[in-house]
Amino acid sequence: MSEVQHTVHRPGPWSSRRGPRGRRGRRGRVLLAAALVVLLVLGGLLLARWLLGRQAVGTLTVPEGQRAGQIYAAADKALKVPAGSTARAARSAHLTLPDDAHGNPEGYLFPATYPLRSDTTPASLLSYMVRTARGHLADRGASSYRTVVIASIVQAEADRPADMGKVARVITNRLDHHMPLQMDSTLNYALGRSTLRTSHADTRIDSPYNTYRNQGLPPTPIDSPGADALRAAGAPPAGDWLYFVTVTPGDTRFTADYQRHLSNVREFNRRQRDEPSGGAMSDGSVSGGAASGGAGTASGGGA
């Protein structure tokens, strides 16, 4: 028997890595690395697309005193969407409005300049406006729907911010005395116009916004009140005023005496005849300004 022993070579660590199992492990790592690269590339593309969608493309400025219909039209143009798109969105966007609003955002499209991005939609813009309004209302202690309605009338009627507190006091005093407000601005809203001239026929229209025929506040705000009007409506100054009329710009006369008010109204009418281009349009109002004031208009109405 030969003394030469046959050595059996067992595969060690090196040879095992070069076997079938080693090749499969290396392929798995390569595939995993490739998958990670693909995911990183896709993630980068999605991030770039998201950032591109959030790029600013313009702004929309809502002036104090604009009505919802005017804001809708301006938003359509700014967003470059078909006319009527924002108005339709207002009906279906489920905006966070008070129950008393019944889904109508009039008065809650806060006057401000809003940034627009390439992914901004009518619904997202309206939601942002309403959230902005509610924040400002809470800051000014004017969170009740009633206060917003009063503020919208103040915005329309006051000739200047300095008069807003007194206008708010006239409104609250007349409500407390169960007197009709007799505000021309609410008539203008009902008729979809802006004018200083109110006729007797206007005061007879059948509308819940006709505050000559109906006591109390109109059913909704009549415009988008700004910060000054909201502040005035939330905390009007003390006073017994029941009537006011802006005879000329900067000259609004408040009184608790009806006969004195009629004298002021006659002066307003005389100036209107002598200066047809004159009047008492509020600087920030789209809905007509204080053409007449409560309880006795430029057309001569009584209390």
Side-chain angles (χ1 to χ4, degrees), residues 168-178 239-242:
R169 175 52 63 190
V170 169
I171 294 170
T172 55
N173 284 348
R174 293 183 69 80
L175 292 172
D176 290 345
H177 285 77
H178 304 289
D240 62 352
W241 312 292
L242 293 171

Side-chain angles (χ1 to χ4, degrees), residues 106-217:
E106 185 74 87
Y108 285 81
L109 305 176
F110 192 76
T113 295
Y114 295 92
L116 303 178
R117 302 190 305 256
S118 52
D119 64 343
T120 301
T121 66
S124 67
L125 176 59
L126 291 172
S127 295
Y128 186 34
M129 288 182 177
V130 171
R131 288 197 304 272
T132 302
R134 295 188 71 121
H136 281 275
L137 294 172
D139 290 344
R140 289 164 177 78
S143 56
S144 76
Y145 194 68
R146 180 180 186 273
T147 302
V148 178
V149 175
I150 292 174
S152 73
I153 299 174
V154 169
Q155 185 70 61
E157 293 281 352
D159 178 50
R160 53 184 183 156
D163 293 329
M164 287 183 170
K166 288 184 176 181
V167 172
R169 175 52 63 190
V170 169
I171 294 170
T172 55
N173 284 348
R174 293 183 69 80
L175 292 172
D176 290 345
H177 285 77
H178 304 289
M179 300 168 67
L181 294 182
Q182 297 182 318
M183 296 287 174
D184 293 351
S185 57
T186 64
L187 284 179
N188 283 335
Y189 186 80
L191 295 168
R193 68 183 190 187
S194 297
T195 182
L196 294 178
R197 304 181 186 281
T198 300
S199 68
H200 286 292
D202 293 336
T203 65
R204 293 193 293 270
I205 65 169
D206 183 13
S207 168
Y209 294 91
N210 183 352
T211 53
Y212 286 84
R213 294 184 60 174
N214 305 303
Q215 283 198 345
L217 294 168

